[in-house]
Amino acid sequence: DKVLKIKECDRVKDERRKKDKVWNFPKTNDYERVMREINEAIKSQEMSVTISKKFYDYDFETIKDFFSGYGYQVSIKEFNGVFPDEITISWKQ
């Protein structure tokens, strides 16, 4: 019974950490970089932007959670159970 309580407590802490990370994302340089790439894509009349993980410190799950919350379509493709180093953010209707 104590083990279940500890697991539940750990799960709640992990969720809180994840929410905090998403909440703090706009205060980061990575946010500025993503927004710069999105603005450039919009100016070029593109409907999406693909960003490479090698230029970002933030994890893609946080970026996905953040932009999905604002209605963007965010995809991290998976190949044979392995995630590549790119994420696509699109604003297609």
Side-chain angles (χ1 to χ4, degrees), residues 26-37:
K27 301 172 189 167
T28 66
N29 289 333
D30 282 344
Y31 171 80
E32 295 296 326
R33 286 188 206 124
V34 172
M35 291 307 295
R36 211 172 11 256
E37 290 192 37

Side-chain angles (χ1 to χ4, degrees), residues 6 9 12 18 21-22 24 26 35 38-39 50 59 64 77 84 91:
I6 291 171
C9 185
V12 169
K18 184 177 177 181
K21 202 168 185 184
V22 170
N24 289 319
M35 291 307 295
I38 289 173
N39 287 329
T50 299
D59 62 274
K64 180 180 179 179
K77 293 187 176 81
W91 45 91

